[in-house]
Amino acid sequence: MAAIGFIGLGNMGAPMARNLLKAGHGLRVFDLAANAVAELTGAGAQAAASAGDAAKGAEIVITMLPAGQHSRAVYLGEAGLIAQAQKGDLLIDCSTIDVATSRDIHAAAAKGGISCLDAPVSGGVAGAAGATLTFMVGGSAEAFARAEPILRTMGKAAIHAGGPGNGQAAKICNNMILGISMIAVSEAFVLAEKLGLSDATLFEVASRASGQCWSLTSYCPVPGPVPESPANNGYRPGFTAAMMLKDLKLAEDAAKTSGAGTPLGNAATDLYERFVATGKAGTDFSGIIEWLRTAA
């Protein structure tokens, strides 16, 4: 079993940390929210006084943070993780952040002889709780091989996407597909309703035809066809509209930097920005269908 430091005990981080405890790993945890730390210490973790303190005595440190500026501060600050880490330690950032920041963290770690991975996740809160996340991992093959058993404790799959920052690249590309496809599926249901075609009929047809996709068959935005989807629970979030907007903006920024043309990605960003502006930031991202019904 490994000695692990875990920083960031939010909606995703807390259940991920719990799964590491269940697997028997030693865990030293830190979060700015004292109650989040208390819940984990109640489950058997040790509390750390700071992010740097969480790394002390840990051979592996995992972070799950809100955005790039937080990862940059935690990793690159004067008393940050890279300053505290020892040669041979492994740092794993599971946050979804911009590629440039991720690659800066990798470069700083490499200068200190410290192994580093970017490993953002897909699967939402339910996946974090059920240990069914998919990790998209950037970094060296050697570091990935070392991390994979730990990642599989928290998820069903860990995919090595290539070198530094490629995990983040894979995540934002995947979520751009997801954001676009959810809008397309939602628009199709709205049109079907206007044309007098029932939700059940459209689902039966599209799920067996060329319109089939994950946003339809696993996360259907209308109540009924997929009992587990948020549409059957008042759009209570598995993945919030605010988080989808964040990832779409990361994809948009990466497209501008790299010179890639993403007109549908840009349109999806605009639509989610307008949806979130109506006060729906905390709603599941599939709830955009309710806004699309009135958008015309």
Side-chain angles (χ1 to χ4, degrees):
M1 294 294 103
I4 300 173
F6 202 108
I7 300 157
L9 303 172
N11 291 336
M12 294 292 291
M16 290 167 66
R18 284 183 179 275
N19 285 326
L20 291 171
L21 285 171
K22 289 176 186 176
H25 295 291
L27 215 60
R28 190 171 173 83
V29 300
F30 176 74
D31 192 279
L32 292 175
N35 61 325
V37 174
E39 287 184 13
L40 265 295
T41 55
Q46 288 185 318
S50 65
D53 185 46
K56 290 180 181 176
E59 50 196 296
I60 297 172
V61 180
I62 299 170
T63 54
M64 178 55 96
L65 302 166
Q69 65 264 33
H70 305 104
S71 289
R72 188 175 288 275
V74 167
Y75 280 89
L76 303 179
E78 289 185 8
L81 294 181
I82 291 173
Q84 297 288 336
Q86 304 294 316
K87 284 188 177 182
D89 288 351
L90 174 59
L91 307 178
I92 306 173
D93 190 13
C94 293
S95 320
T96 297
I97 62 173
D98 60 287
V99 175
T101 292
S102 182
R103 288 177 175 163
D104 286 347
I105 291 169
H106 277 273
K111 286 181 181 178
I114 300 157
S115 296
C116 184
L117 294 170
D118 55 289
V121 305
S122 178
V125 175
T132 58
L133 295 170
T134 295
F135 292 85
M136 293 149 272
V137 189
S140 72
E142 294 78 12
F144 174 74
R146 183 179 169 192
E148 188 173 14
I150 300 297
L151 299 179
R152 285 187 173 274
T153 298
M154 300 180 287
K156 64 181 180 181
I159 301 165
H160 188 213
N166 277 20
Q168 301 295 345
K171 172 65 184 289
I172 62 175
C173 290
N174 177 79
N175 277 24
M176 184 174 70
I177 294 171
L178 178 60
I180 293 168
S181 66
M182 182 56 74
I183 291 170
V185 170
S186 296
E187 287 187 354
F189 274 105
V190 171
L191 176 60
E193 291 162 6
K194 293 287 187 182
L195 297 174
L197 183 67
S198 73
D199 293 343
T201 300
L202 177 58
F203 180 85
E204 184 177 6
V205 171
S207 65
R208 300 181 183 186
S210 54
Q212 190 278 330
C213 63
W214 189 91
S215 291
L216 174 72
T217 56
S218 295
Y219 218 79
C220 187
V222 297
V226 180
E228 300 82 12
S229 76
N232 293 289
N233 193 21
Y235 297 99
R236 182 177 177 180
F239 187 64
T240 66
M243 294 303 292
M244 174 54 76
L245 178 59
K246 170 199 164 188
D247 289 357
L248 287 168
K249 285 184 173 180
L250 288 174
E252 188 175 54
D253 289 345
K256 289 176 182 176
T257 301
S258 65
T262 57
L264 284 178
N266 296 343
T269 303
D270 176 64
L271 290 173
Y272 271 100
E273 200 152 35
R274 291 160 66 187
F275 176 51
V276 165
T278 66
K280 298 294 185 179
T283 300
D284 190 81
F285 80 103
S286 61
I288 196 170
I289 190 172
E290 296 193 313
W291 178 76
L292 288 168
R293 286 192 179 101
T294 63

